[in-house]
Amino acid sequence: MSFASLGLIDQITRTLAALHYHTPTAVQAQAIPAVLAGRDVMAAAQTGTGKTAGFTLPLLQRLVMDGGQVASNSVRALVLVPTRELAEQVHESVRAYGAGLPLRTMVAYGGVSINPQMMRLRKGVDLMVATPGRLLDLQRQNAVRFDRVQALVLDEADRMLDLGFSRDIDKLMALLPDKRQTLLFSATFSDPIRALAGKLLHDPVNIEATPRNTTVRAIRQWIVPVDKKRKPELFLHLLARHGWGQVLAFVKTRKGVDELVGLLDAKGLASDAIHGDKPQPARLRALERFKAGEVRILVATDVAARGLDIDELPVVVNVDLPIVAEDYVHRTGRTGRAGASGEAVSLVCADEVQLLAAIEALTGQVLPRQEEAGFEAEHRVPQTNAGGQVVKKPKKPKKSKQEKARADAPVVQEDVRFRR
Ligand code: AMP
């Protein structure tokens, strides 16, 4: 199958050939014709399977074919994403896929000056990639109008519709024209989110390019049981033992991220950090340095879990398990992208067994355990089963009253009685 056979115009297929995209991926093969036909789409596709091109290519084509000058401060297509890093990355893809097309595109997110974004909007924009908070700021300042929006994409849709974003998304929905094309793309869709999403869509094409909530099969996954306080030490040990090149490590808290980076620095290992307390330029710089191979270990909170496309990243280490099971799928999806293989190892302590069980239930697998010699957990991590449950230790059979009375009687009394 070729991109041309999906209905894409020459200008776009030539760009794809230059990017060495020869065949459409599964999600692209299904999404491109549906979007070109103007249908609403709900697509579940594993991360790294080319979903960005799946919605961007046909949207760009529709914008070109519809033609016309975009009115000032207006936007014709909106792509909403949950994080600033993802906004940058998706916009880079938009620019690459739209090379040579007569379209104006832009990216807008918070944490940087709003003025250049307002300036860019003055002449109108065909396709805008944005995070919801900054988009609302721009709207409040009358820098952007939504009456010409003809297409809306929610990338990482389940995240965009969950509690953290739902207020902003509700506000935006109320401002957008009812008559529009809506596209929802995500690697994971929980059932409540699926129901909510259904309300935003009109007669959607449902695409399940891969089974729901699964992790990529080419990623070898395992856990190492360990005591909580020994995790940093075990991380250093695994780095040395496996001789991993680049590693993306996920840690639960911002403080935890900084502590691990401090430890790596002290050992002379090139590392950097991404978390919500860091100014945006520093976050982007850390990611760029990691992508360029200048940094061996990038330590991050879940702000880096979704969507980030890092070429040939071989290993993801969950130093802490994610609180939300779906984030496990997103984190591991940073490796094994575009058909490559990868490894994802999780350091799991006894406190985290419920999180482990939830991940296993979601992904339908029991993660193999591999003890690391010298790091065996003193606080045993209970076994889990295929149903995502923690296997309780079998209870001792109950004693009868007489047996209990006998057992409870102090030994010393027995002795006394015996002597009589
Ligand atoms: P995404 O899932 O959109 O983040 O894309 C994952 C990676 O696959 C990116 O590095 C894309 O450049 C690459 N990619 C997307 N579509 C194709 C394709 N049809 N052929 C080859 N590579 C692709």
Side-chain angles (χ1 to χ4, degrees):
M1 192 195 298
S2 67
F3 282 104
S5 70
L6 299 176
L8 291 174
I9 53 177
D10 281 358
Q11 246 174 314
I12 293 181
T13 57
R14 275 200 301 274
T15 304
L16 294 174
L19 291 170
H20 305 289
Y21 289 15
H22 302 298
T23 342
T25 64
V27 65
Q28 290 163 2
Q30 296 176 72
I32 292 172
V35 179
L36 285 177
R39 299 285 304 272
D40 281 3
V41 167
M42 170 137 142
Q46 275 166 1
T47 179
T49 54
K51 64 185 163 72
T52 317
F55 60 77
T56 305
L57 296 169
L59 273 186
L60 291 172
Q61 175 155 327
R62 294 202 75 197
L63 292 167
V64 171
M65 301 307 265
D66 290 352
Q69 186 89 32
V70 58
S72 54
N73 296 101
S74 281
V75 176
R76 294 164 72 201
L78 264 178
V79 179
L80 300 184
V81 295
T83 67
R84 299 161 182 180
E85 283 77 8
L86 196 52
E88 273 292 336
Q89 182 181 297
V90 169
H91 187 241
E92 265 173 43
S93 299
V94 167
R95 284 187 20 195
Y97 301 147
L101 300 177
L103 297 172
R104 282 173 60 78
T105 68
M106 71 173 283
V107 59
Y109 48 78
V112 295
S113 167
I114 199 167
N115 290 338
Q117 297 170 5
M118 294 171 85
M119 298 281 282
R120 178 97 188 138
L121 274 160
R122 280 206 191 139
K123 282 193 189 157
V125 168
D126 294 291
L127 188 152
M128 179 178 189
V129 182
T131 53
R134 177 50 63 94
L135 187 60
L136 280 170
D137 281 349
L138 287 162
Q139 189 273 335
R140 275 190 286 266
Q141 304 202 31
N142 293 324
V144 64
R145 298 168 33 191
F146 296 127
D147 50 339
R148 306 281 171 89
V149 171
Q150 59 190 62
L152 168 73
V153 182
L154 298 186
D155 191 12
E156 304 293 339
D158 63 338
R159 185 76 232 285
M160 304 301 289
L161 295 172
D162 78 12
L163 279 180
F165 281 104
S166 61
R167 279 182 58 187
D168 282 354
I169 295 292
D170 284 350
K171 279 186 207 155
L172 283 166
M173 290 297 174
L175 297 166
L176 297 179
D178 287 337
K179 196 173 166 312
R180 56 154 204 267
Q181 185 176 20
T182 307
L183 315 175
L184 307 185
F185 279 73
S186 189
T188 50
F189 275 113
S190 63
D191 286 336
I193 296 289
R194 205 164 256 273
L196 189 63
K199 294 188 187 139
L200 298 175
L201 301 168
H202 172 71
D203 185 24
V205 175
N206 273 297
I207 297 174
E208 298 236 356
T210 41
R212 247 188 252 182
N213 299 331
T214 50
T215 45
V216 178
R217 217 170 285 127
I219 303 173
R220 190 171 90 81
Q221 301 164 57
W222 76 100
I223 69 166
V224 185
V226 63
D227 288 329
K228 191 193 274 176
K229 59 178 188 306
R230 298 199 68 197
K231 283 185 173 192
E233 201 189 330
L234 172 61
F235 178 61
L236 288 176
H237 166 82
L238 290 172
L239 267 180
R241 189 162 94 75
H242 291 274
W244 286 321
Q246 279 200 301
V247 175
L248 177 58
F250 286 101
V251 174
K252 191 165 59 184
T253 61
R254 297 163 188 189
K255 188 164 162 268
V257 168
D258 287 338
E259 281 172 6
L260 187 56
V261 168
L263 180 68
L264 293 165
D265 273 353
K267 300 279 174 196
L269 295 163
S271 64
D272 210 335
I274 291 192
H275 58 60
D277 277 348
K278 270 197 136 180
Q280 191 53 33
R283 275 165 63 169
L284 283 178
R285 203 166 45 246
L287 187 61
E288 287 312 317
R289 289 177 62 211
F290 188 61
K291 284 185 175 182
E294 291 163 27
V295 164
R296 179 170 165 212
I297 304 139
L298 186 63
V299 187
T301 56
D302 277 305
V303 292
R306 286 176 177 251
L308 297 187
D309 186 29
I310 301 156
D311 258 0
E312 292 169 22
L313 176 68
V315 189
V316 167
V317 180
N318 294 311
V319 178
D320 298 317
L321 286 183
I323 304 292
V324 179
E326 273 88 356
D327 282 338
Y328 178 84
V329 178
H330 294 284
R331 288 179 178 190
T332 54
R334 296 312 100 222
T335 177
R337 296 172 69 72
S341 61
E343 294 185 308
V345 52
S346 303
L347 317 189
V348 180
C349 65
D351 290 358
E352 292 175 308
V353 69
Q354 295 295 351
L355 304 178
L356 175 65
I359 289 164
E360 292 179 335
L362 179 76
T363 59
Q365 61 185 343
V366 174
L367 294 167
R369 293 175 178 225
Q370 213 166 290
E371 295 262 357
E372 208 52 50
F375 289 89
E376 295 84 356
E378 276 177 31
H379 300 281
R380 205 179 61 85
V381 181
Q383 290 294 332
T384 45
N385 65 21
Q389 284 149 345
V390 177
V391 181
K392 300 237 163 63
K393 269 204 238 164
K395 280 190 182 151
K396 287 186 193 145
K398 270 193 175 172
K399 287 179 179 153
S400 71
K401 271 188 183 168
Q402 281 169 336
E403 280 173 321
K404 196 164 179 307
R406 235 179 281 133
D408 287 348
V411 172
V412 58
Q413 276 196 2
E414 288 260 316
D415 286 351
V416 172
R417 258 184 285 160
F418 186 72
R419 261 189 255 133
R420 269 191 223 150

